[in-house]
Amino acid sequence: QVQVVESGGGLVQTGGSLRLSCTASGSFFSINAMGWYRQPPGKQRELVATSSSGGSINYADSVKGRFTISRDNAKNTVYLQMDSLKPEDTAVYYCHVDLRNSWFVDHDYWGQGTQVTVST
């Protein structure tokens, strides 16, 4: 059984910062990629940032220069440092983990989501 647990959301003023964390635990062979998606109110879920095991990192254009994704592979944890936050960053943020299970089959897992609210 694999669990993906996020933490770090909250309420912040425009221009402020937040740091999200997400840890994958349980039985699996390896992690292929970890990343963050978000779903603003009334909109579809969208990519924020991803980090592959090979070191490739991708950001949505809307967060480039403000958000930083990083990983601690020893802890199976991914972080999202969010700086210079804007009201349009308000959303539920979801952690995504693409991993290879003990039978060498790739699976996607999602966290439960954490609310980020940026006030004006």
Side-chain angles (χ1 to χ4, degrees), residues 11-72:
L11 174 65
V12 65
Q13 290 185 333
T14 297
S17 298
L18 282 174
R19 188 190 195 209
L20 306 182
S21 300
C22 169
T23 298
S25 63
S27 179
F28 51 88
F29 179 73
S30 64
I31 292 178
N32 300 321
M34 301 183 83
W36 294 93
Y37 289 71
R38 68 186 181 188
Q39 187 164 13
K43 297 184 179 180
Q44 292 189 335
R45 192 174 298 188
E46 61 187 23
L47 180 146
V48 176
T50 60
S51 173
S52 74
S53 58
S56 176
I57 290 178
N58 291 295
Y59 293 100
D61 288 342
S62 59
V63 306
K64 283 181 181 176
R66 300 186 299 120
F67 291 10
T68 303
I69 189 171
S70 61
R71 285 171 61 173
D72 184 335

Side-chain angles (χ1 to χ4, degrees), residues 84-106:
S84 302
L85 282 161
K86 305 175 181 180
E88 50 263 44
D89 295 317
T90 295
V92 178
Y93 283 70
Y94 295 92
C95 177
H96 172 257
V97 180
D98 172 8
L99 60 77
R100 182 156 295 175
N101 67 18
S102 302
W103 295 271
F104 303 101
V105 176
D106 293 344

